[in-house]
Amino acid sequence: MEVQRAVENARNFQKELDKLIEEQDKNNENGKRLFLHSCCAPCSSYVLEYLRQYFRITVFYYNPNISFKEEYQKRVAEQKRLIGEYNKQETGFPIEVTEGDYEPELFFEMAKGLEDCPEGGERCFGCYELRLGRTAFEAERGGYDYFATTLTISPLKNAKKLNEIGERLAAEYGVKWLVSDFKKKNGYKRSIELSREYGLYRQDYCGCIYSKIEREREKK
């Protein structure tokens, strides 16, 4: 058991993704369909710049955790604006986008009893599960080759947990999970540069009311 844990902790998800892309490129298999969950435009900026060279991406904007509706609408509008800007460029495959239902009641149901958990704890893990579960379901229904999430670009998100959930859901739904740790290779830094370049709205909290309260507490 201890050996297994050591192996899991030692995994380099970015190197695994590099290897997959290298093999795909060598075999002229670029253009496979990827259903990519996105949490926001800033986090997706680098991920889309990077992956659109190799995959036909449909961005899935599904974030029932976001409080409040005005904030949700602002973020989804920025996501669509960024994709529109990218699609004006001639590099990479064109990007499609689909918006899931805004279902905050599902998030609050999941978060019952976990309201006081610190950011990055069990409540966040449940939120990962909620969003990736719907992503996997839609990816299977749409016949996609892979599904993935932009969430691993954030230094505040647990890439190991996200990949663990993604691989479990891949086995359940029969769609390949694209492993990632997008913060590597200066991915997070590049997302900040792209946010400035496109004038993207960068929120100062993850999205849910609990993270907003925690951020306001830290500011004080």
Side-chain angles (χ1 to χ4, degrees):
M1 182 64 75
E2 291 301 322
V3 173
Q4 178 64 28
R5 284 188 188 135
V7 170
E8 288 174 355
N9 289 332
R11 285 182 69 183
N12 187 316
F13 298 110
Q14 182 58 51
K15 283 188 177 179
E16 290 182 33
L17 177 56
D18 286 342
K19 185 177 179 181
L20 184 150
I21 287 174
E22 182 182 337
E23 287 295 317
Q24 186 171 283
D25 198 34
K26 184 171 68 176
N27 296 326
N28 294 316
E29 294 178 340
N30 289 333
K32 289 189 175 181
R33 298 175 68 225
L34 169 65
F35 200 61
L36 178 67
H37 166 263
S38 176
C39 55
C40 62
C43 286
S44 73
S45 58
Y46 163 73
V47 179
L48 292 174
E49 179 186 64
Y50 170 38
L51 293 184
R52 69 180 301 204
Q53 310 302 317
Y54 311 103
F55 298 93
R56 296 184 184 276
I57 301 171
T58 296
V59 169
F60 181 46
Y61 193 86
Y62 179 69
N63 298 292
N65 57 307
I66 295 176
S67 304
F68 298 88
K69 190 167 185 179
E70 294 79 6
E71 178 73 15
Y72 172 88
Q73 290 172 333
K74 188 171 185 177
R75 294 191 193 193
V76 75
E78 281 293 85
Q79 180 70 83
K80 291 176 179 179
R81 180 173 73 84
L82 175 66
I83 291 171
E85 290 297 321
Y86 275 3
N87 281 338
K88 293 175 184 176
Q89 302 169 5
E90 295 182 359
T91 57
F93 294 106
I95 303 164
E96 297 182 0
V97 60
T98 183
E99 182 182 352
D101 294 331
Y102 179 49
E103 304 170 312
E105 66 278 4
L106 295 184
F107 170 77
F108 286 116
E109 180 64 28
M110 179 280 301
K112 280 183 180 177
L114 301 172
E115 294 88 350
D116 296 327
C117 284
E119 190 168 355
E122 289 299 322
R123 187 184 64 244
C124 290
F125 296 167
C127 187
Y128 300 166
E129 185 90 35
L130 175 63
R131 290 186 278 177
L132 290 183
R134 180 60 62 86
T135 305
F137 172 80
E138 296 294 343
E140 188 276 332
R141 191 166 72 161
Y144 286 82
D145 298 298
Y146 292 95
F147 73 105
T149 181
T150 64
L151 285 166
T152 65
I153 200 170
S154 171
L156 299 176
K157 300 295 183 292
N158 188 321
K160 180 176 178 292
K161 190 68 176 179
L162 284 160
N163 282 288
E164 175 189 305
I165 293 170
E167 288 178 331
R168 176 164 43 77
L169 289 168
E172 181 179 342
Y173 285 93
V175 183
K176 293 178 184 176
W177 167 252
L178 195 71
V179 296
S180 71
D181 192 354
F182 292 122
K183 71 179 71 65
K184 300 292 180 67
K185 297 175 72 171
N186 289 319
Y188 180 67
K189 179 182 177 183
R190 179 60 178 156
S191 75
I192 294 173
E193 294 171 351
L194 288 166
S195 293
R196 291 196 188 108
E197 182 179 336
Y198 289 98
L200 298 176
Y201 164 62
R202 286 185 72 89
Q203 58 281 353
D204 64 354
Y205 68 103
C206 175
C208 75
I209 186 63
Y210 310 113
S211 66
K212 182 175 176 62
I213 291 169
E214 188 170 330
R215 194 68 70 248
E216 289 174 349
R217 196 178 293 136
E218 288 171 356
K219 288 178 181 178
K220 290 179 181 178

